Amino acid sequence: MADLQVRGRPVKIWAIGAGAVVLAISAAFGGLNKAEAENPPLAAGTAVNAGQFEVTVQRVVTVTDLKPLFTPEPGGALIAVVTKLKVTDDTGATPPSDLIRLIGVPGLEDDARPVGTATLDDNTQSPVLTPDAAEDVAYVFKLPKLSELPTEAKVTVQGYEHYDESLLDHHEKWLPADIVAEGTIKVTDKTKPSKS
């Protein structure tokens, strides 16, 4: 095995040469520099390319309930990230539960998934979005009973990468990739009755 050769040269020489080429190319494009830890900024009303979806976070609100769809725990509230979503693929898709995350919100784990999603126009839960038609979709999370509701929330948008053929089942699919944007957005408190 140690004497294995390719085109008259030992495999070890080819491996070292390939590694050197990869390092040279990586260094030329800044690959050896320390990677930036920050993600691109996210601002309310700005569209973000998340691969399978174009995502625009419109607002973040707290509410006492969204009956009959979602109800908080006793004494708790709901926090909803209202988005405008557009499928960029030529196939319809249900918005994935990990597309939107809330980070650093008291009472929520940073990896907490929403209790559900729903369209604003007709309250369809877990809607199937059609290509190129933007829909207003709320990502709804449950907040426990807190002395104070959050006044701002860090929101992240998960990116998805397209694969022509999955290694597991050889089908075309979109799989989670990197976070494509994150930003702190003001939370509107709608838990109190409005003053007339």
Side-chain angles (χ1 to χ4, degrees):
M1 193 70 153
D3 299 331
L4 185 62
Q5 294 195 348
V6 176
R7 295 189 178 204
R9 295 186 183 203
V11 169
K12 185 176 179 181
I13 297 295
W14 284 103
I16 292 169
V21 168
V22 168
L23 281 175
I25 291 171
S26 176
F29 291 98
L32 296 179
N33 297 336
K34 193 168 184 180
E36 289 291 320
E38 293 185 16
N39 294 309
L42 173 70
T46 303
V48 173
N49 179 359
Q52 187 179 13
F53 301 91
E54 180 183 278
V55 181
T56 304
V57 173
Q58 298 176 317
R59 61 192 175 278
V60 180
V61 298
T62 51
V63 294
T64 50
D65 67 63
L66 292 171
K67 291 179 182 174
L69 300 179
F70 306 108
T71 306
E73 301 301 329
L78 300 174
I79 184 167
V81 181
V82 180
T83 65
K84 186 170 284 295
L85 298 182
K86 184 164 78 169
V87 177
T88 60
D89 197 12
D90 56 4
T91 305
T94 299
S97 64
D98 63 351
L99 181 64
I100 299 293
R101 285 282 187 271
L102 291 171
I103 307 296
V105 172
L108 279 183
E109 296 291 329
D110 288 349
D111 61 352
R113 292 185 181 252
V115 291
T117 59
T119 55
L120 297 192
D121 61 348
D122 61 4
N123 297 328
T124 300
Q125 284 188 272
S126 302
V128 176
L129 306 180
T130 56
D132 292 325
E135 288 266 7
D136 293 325
V137 176
Y139 275 73
V140 181
F141 299 80
K142 283 186 179 182
L143 286 174
K145 185 175 183 178
L146 299 168
S147 56
E148 285 185 30
L149 292 172
T151 56
E152 59 181 25
K154 184 189 237 184
V155 180
T156 66
V157 178
Q158 173 72 52
Y160 290 83
E161 192 170 339
H162 183 263
Y163 291 87
D164 288 329
E165 192 173 296
S166 164
L167 291 175
L168 296 177
D169 59 12
H170 303 290
H171 289 95
E172 178 183 7
K173 59 179 56 180
W174 289 89
L175 296 174
D178 296 325
I179 299 296
V180 292
E182 66 180 23
T184 301
I185 297 178
K186 185 177 181 295
V187 176
T188 304
D189 185 358
K190 300 244 181 187
T191 61
K192 298 174 179 69
S194 59
K195 296 174 184 174
S196 327

